[in-house]
């Protein structure tokens, strides 16, 4: 009985807060685009994984609320979190996320109903018939609680093995119930919440390979036999060992051609700077090129809370600054950046460099190069200084030099970020070696 009351009140609350969020969005039409608004312009959602434990952190919540139009609970809807002992459901943490999302007018992806990992210890020892009953009861309990509130559910997660075989992964479900457990889970899920899109979700299926072929064949079989499946999730966890596949778009398209939506469900790409940005661009462009690619979710708001935090794989750094990858995604989504925000699409970042000699003695001198930002703030600069051939530099401060012959290219050490019109400088000591000529300061470029 208490579950029914909770369900009704969840649905009633959702309607009210969604209306409030729409009003708020209408008032901010003049602002720069965000990931969510730019994606909406392309008919897509742009989501993130969220942890309930971080929602109380002001910058985390502000970034989440400003940028994203969909959330996926990172761990809070998993079996160990929601049914730690048989028949006893706990939704406190998941409810916090769903309530927060609804207060912001965001969609919620449900993750995940049936998965071999993060299973509470009571599940594995069950015999086949008991396990089937427990699996269906888990689906009904979780989906029933959120009935009508979940955009898409990852019904079954990661049921196929890595590697060349295309075989099913060993798990209590596979080992005791056989291949049919996936179909059964989808049928149970459809009955539990007919409004939710039902997805199969996996990793290393992003390009055409043996594993994605196996998933493809399963989806094709489901479609031909009327097993209810609406979408396939491509996790898209990328790094140097597992780069964005060159046939990513083609793979998304072939699944879409089976008559299912495709979603990028757990996107993260280890790396930094322009290389990471370029990889993110490829992923966004691939999704936009496939009309049934309905949205993208990155696997976290900030690098500092990523499951791969050492690889800095996300769009915001640990201080919630927008990374080059953020600007690239926004740009690929067709969004306009904030003109005052360095690196944003359409940005006019610029700088100038001027030279003065600040000390002089018979065998050497100290030079100083002052970098001044143009009409917009900048987050980095690069200046070139060409020395007379005889001279050599013995030390340099407040900058990081690289050399090509007698041309010194200097980038910031700590002093890359400058407000519009603001200045910083780097200095160096040079040996004259018989030439007292001044060095030539060349171009200054900024981003
Ligand atoms: O990001 C999740 C991390 O916090 C958990 O410790 C981990 C436990 O298995 O699961 C991570 O999320 C996984 C997701 O649920 C399924 N695909 C792979 C994700 C990264 O491991």
């Amino acid at each position: 009985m208490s579950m029914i009351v909770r369900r009704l009140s969840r649905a009633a609350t959702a309607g009210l807060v969604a209306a409030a969020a729409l009003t708020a969005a209408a008032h901010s039409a003049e602002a720069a685009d965000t990931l969510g608004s730019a994606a909406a312009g392309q008919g897509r959602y742009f989501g993130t994984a969220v942890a309930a434990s971080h929602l109380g952190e002001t910058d985390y919540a502000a970034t989440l609320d400003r940028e994203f139009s969909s959330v996926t609970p990172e761990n809070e809807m998993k079996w160990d979190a929601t049914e730690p002992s048989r028949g006893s459901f706990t939704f406190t943490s998941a409810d916090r996320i769903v309530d927060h999302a609804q207060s912001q007018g965001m969609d919620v992806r449900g993750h995940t109903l049936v998965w071999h990992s993060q299973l509470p210890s009571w599940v594995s020892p069950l015999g086949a018939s008991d396990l089937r009953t427990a699996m269906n009861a888990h689906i009904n309990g979780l989906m029933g609680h959120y009935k009508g509130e979940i955009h898409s559910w990852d019904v079954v997660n990661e049921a196929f093995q890595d590697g060349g075989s295309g075989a099913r992964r060993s798990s209590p479900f596979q080992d005791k119930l056989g291949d049919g457990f996936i179909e059964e889970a989808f049928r149970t899920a459809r009955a539990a919440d007919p409004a939710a899109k039902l997805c199969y979700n996996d990793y290393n299926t992003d390009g055409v390979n043996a594993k994605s072929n196996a998933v493809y064949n399963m989806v094709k079989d489901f479609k031909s036999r009327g097993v209810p499946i609406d979408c396939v999730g491509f996790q898209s966890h990328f790094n140097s060992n597992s780069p964005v596949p060159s046939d990513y778009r083609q793979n998304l398209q072939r699944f879409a051609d089976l008559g299912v939506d495709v979603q990028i469900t757990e996107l993260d790409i280890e790396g930094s700077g322009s290389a990471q940005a370029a990889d993110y661009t490829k992923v966004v462009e691939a999704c936009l090129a496939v009309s049934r690619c309905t949205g993208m979710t990155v696997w976290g708001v900030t690098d500092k809370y990523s499951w791969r935090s050492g690889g800095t794989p996300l769009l915001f750094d640990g201080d919630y600054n927008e990374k080059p990858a953020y600007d690239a995604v926004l740009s690929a989504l067709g969004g306009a950046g904030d003109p005052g925000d360095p690196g944003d699409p359409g940005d006019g970042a610029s700088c100038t460099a001027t030279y003065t000699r600040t000390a002089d003695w018979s065998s050497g001198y100290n030079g100083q190069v002052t970098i001044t930002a143009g009409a917009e703030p900048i987050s980095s600069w690069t200046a070139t200084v060409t020395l007379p051939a005889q001279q050599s530099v013995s030390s340099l401060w407040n900058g990081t030099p690289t050399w090509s012959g007698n041309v010194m290219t200097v980038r910031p050490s700590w002093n890359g970020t400058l407000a519009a019109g603001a200045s910083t400088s780097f200095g160096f000591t040079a040996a004259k070696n018989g030439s007292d000529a001044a060095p030539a300061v060349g171009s200054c470029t900024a981003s």
Side-chain angles (χ1 to χ4, degrees):
M1 187 61 198
S2 67
M3 182 182 283
I4 291 167
V5 170
R6 175 67 181 151
R7 227 191 288 168
L8 290 176
S9 70
R10 288 202 61 80
T13 315
L16 289 177
V17 282
L22 278 179
T23 313
H27 286 301
S28 60
E30 309 286 4
D33 277 319
T34 63
L35 300 171
S37 70
Q42 306 285 345
R44 268 72 172 189
Y45 66 82
F46 201 98
T48 178
V50 162
S53 58
H54 302 316
L55 287 174
E57 188 182 321
T58 307
D59 289 347
Y60 183 93
T63 308
L64 168 66
D65 296 351
R66 186 182 70 243
E67 296 289 341
F68 297 96
S69 57
S70 169
V71 299
T72 305
E74 187 170 356
N75 291 296
E76 291 78 352
M77 286 186 177
K78 291 171 180 175
W79 198 320
D80 60 354
T82 50
E83 197 185 0
S85 56
R86 190 168 186 177
S88 164
F89 286 87
T90 65
F91 296 116
T92 316
S93 296
D95 277 356
R96 275 190 70 195
I97 295 176
V98 174
D99 289 344
H100 185 97
Q102 290 175 348
S103 78
Q104 299 295 319
M106 299 166 175
D107 284 339
V108 181
R109 293 194 81 263
H111 176 81
T112 174
L113 295 162
V114 183
W115 187 28
H116 65 277
S117 186
Q118 288 175 275
L119 269 182
S121 57
W122 62 267
V123 177
S124 302
L126 300 178
S129 131
D130 223 5
L131 181 64
R132 172 175 288 120
T133 306
M135 179 184 84
N136 289 324
H138 182 71
I139 294 170
N140 285 324
L142 194 42
M143 290 186 79
H145 181 72
Y146 293 110
K147 187 170 183 176
E149 300 181 81
I150 304 294
H151 177 276
S152 303
W153 268 107
D154 291 330
V155 177
V156 175
N157 195 41
E158 302 175 6
F160 286 79
Q161 257 177 34
D162 273 339
S165 71
R168 308 281 165 121
R169 176 198 295 274
S170 169
S171 72
F173 309 105
Q174 181 67 35
D175 299 349
K176 290 173 186 159
L177 307 180
D179 287 1
F181 88 87
I182 303 182
E183 171 172 353
E184 179 153 348
F186 275 86
R187 291 190 189 280
T188 303
R190 177 66 91 223
D193 185 356
K197 297 232 184 227
L198 305 182
C199 308
Y200 176 79
N201 189 52
D202 215 328
Y203 66 95
N204 287 352
T205 50
D206 313 300
V208 176
N209 57 39
K211 189 172 178 179
S212 66
N213 287 344
V215 176
Y216 179 88
N217 288 332
M218 177 187 76
V219 174
K220 191 173 177 188
D221 170 56
F222 280 13
K223 293 302 284 185
S224 73
R225 292 190 296 110
V227 179
I229 184 167
D230 306 304
C231 46
V232 177
F234 298 84
Q235 293 186 9
S236 306
H237 294 293
F238 297 124
N239 56 24
S240 53
N241 294 323
S242 176
V244 181
S246 56
D247 54 7
Y248 192 52
R249 182 199 55 75
Q250 179 197 340
N251 190 48
L252 297 176
Q253 186 65 59
R254 72 170 176 151
F255 277 86
D257 290 343
L258 291 175
V260 288
D261 288 345
V262 294
Q263 301 175 353
I264 294 166
T265 50
E266 304 182 14
L267 176 62
D268 51 17
I269 309 177
E270 293 189 78
S272 62
S274 55
Q276 183 181 49
D279 283 340
Y280 266 101
T281 298
K282 283 187 214 166
V283 171
V284 174
E285 286 179 347
C287 180
L288 295 183
V290 175
S291 60
R292 290 198 76 147
C293 182
T294 58
M296 289 150 265
T297 296
V298 287
W299 204 239
V301 175
T302 160
D303 282 340
K304 71 175 166 176
Y305 297 140
S306 164
W307 73 298
R308 284 178 165 173
S309 58
T312 61
L314 296 171
L315 302 179
F316 293 90
D317 72 15
D319 295 321
Y320 300 95
N321 296 310
E322 296 164 359
K323 294 167 61 181
Y326 171 92
D327 295 326
V329 169
L330 189 62
S331 178
L333 290 169
D338 181 341
D341 195 351
D344 268 10
D347 178 60
S350 64
C351 58
T352 54
T354 55
Y355 168 78
T356 48
R357 189 177 287 204
T358 52
D360 189 45
W361 57 97
S362 57
S363 61
Y365 66 91
N366 284 344
Q368 177 175 294
V369 175
T370 301
I371 309 290
T372 304
E376 293 190 6
I378 64 175
S379 58
S380 192
W381 47 263
T382 305
T384 55
V385 179
T386 304
L387 285 121
Q390 297 96 317
Q391 295 182 5
S392 59
V393 168
S394 57
S395 66
L396 187 144
W397 53 96
N398 297 337
T400 308
T402 53
W403 287 93
S404 172
N406 61 335
V407 178
M408 179 169 77
T409 300
V410 183
R411 296 187 173 80
S413 42
W414 52 271
N415 47 349
T417 301
L418 294 176
S423 295
T424 188
S425 61
F426 63 88
F428 58 92
T429 299
K432 294 179 181 172
N433 298 327
S435 166
D436 196 31
V441 176
S443 60
C444 185
T445 54
S447 60

